[in-house]
Amino acid sequence: MNETCMTMDDLKWDVQQRLKLLESTLLLSGWVRTQALTDTFGISRAQASKDFAVYQALRPRNLVYNKSRKFYEAGEDFEPLLLTGKSSELLNVLATKHLQDGPVLAMAKRAPAVDMLRPLDRELDLRVFRAISAAASNGTKVRIGYQSMKQESLGPEIRTISPHTLVYSGFRWHVRAYSDESAGFRDYVLARIIGTVECLDEPGVPDEKDRDWHEQVPVRIGPHPGLLPHQRAIIEQDYGIVDGCIETQVRKSLVQYFLDLMLVSPGRTLDKATEQQICLLNLAELEPYLWKRRT
């Protein structure tokens, strides 16, 4: 088939999947090599090169070859081919990648009806998201304008950060990063990064120095003490609680987010036992990792 006359309808399903990986890798890290396809799909380098040629034929301006670094970068006039170009779609890619086994292709002819509730997407400027994602992937610094909820100034503050991990809290996305101005690791809500992100050509502070990220602490949860015995038994069965307690390990920097997600954070609990249902059992142990005030 003549690649110059090719359209999306001409592509087989397996080729489309490989090109989706090519495009999402390009957008998330800022660059891509044929190795991304050979390692993921177990295809030959010749086949991967052919896939790249197909992609270039369909979107000539999307890939720019960097001869010195021997990889492809996203062109300035990048236009998505297989993705929508929305940051929420790329964030969903990251969320799926975090799953241990990833999704499976549904092969059943019949299945029950399913519906899901999800929080509203907080759509981000794709250029902002791509710059933060690339910096986290490549271990470099960026300079951002950040609008904190606690600051009194009307405009964003300029901060130089070293992103290392994108985190979904269950409600929103933030980036864990070292701040040069604060001389420590902080969380930056992606939706509050304002304006153009300046990519700095210097290595960032490595995440190995982020102790609260790498160290974990146990979070213990049990049935609300105000529940009646039969109600308590139901909650224990729901959560797999044994002997009145279930324990999970959580990164120190994510404790507050986890408690908020489970609705057991201090100050957010309900008075009625049948509405609250579960409670936090080791608050004193977790107190050092709770926010004094929101940022």
Side-chain angles (χ1 to χ4, degrees), residues 28-39:
L28 289 170
S29 65
W31 58 275
V32 64
R33 289 191 176 102
T34 55
Q35 187 178 355
L37 301 187
T38 58
D39 289 352

Side-chain angles (χ1 to χ4, degrees), residues 127-147:
R127 292 170 297 180
V128 169
F129 170 69
R130 285 177 56 190
I132 297 297
S133 176
S137 298
N138 301 314
T140 54
K141 288 186 178 183
V142 292
R143 186 170 291 117
I144 64 172
Y146 190 73
Q147 187 68 60

Side-chain angles (χ1 to χ4, degrees), residues 218-224 232 235-237 239-248 278-282 285:
V219 176
R220 301 184 182 93
I221 291 175
H224 193 287
R232 181 186 181 95
I235 297 305
E236 288 180 341
Q237 181 176 332
Y239 289 91
I241 295 174
V242 179
D243 295 330
C245 175
I246 185 170
E247 178 180 306
T248 186
I278 57 175
C279 62
L280 181 62
L281 301 179
N282 61 330
E285 185 178 3

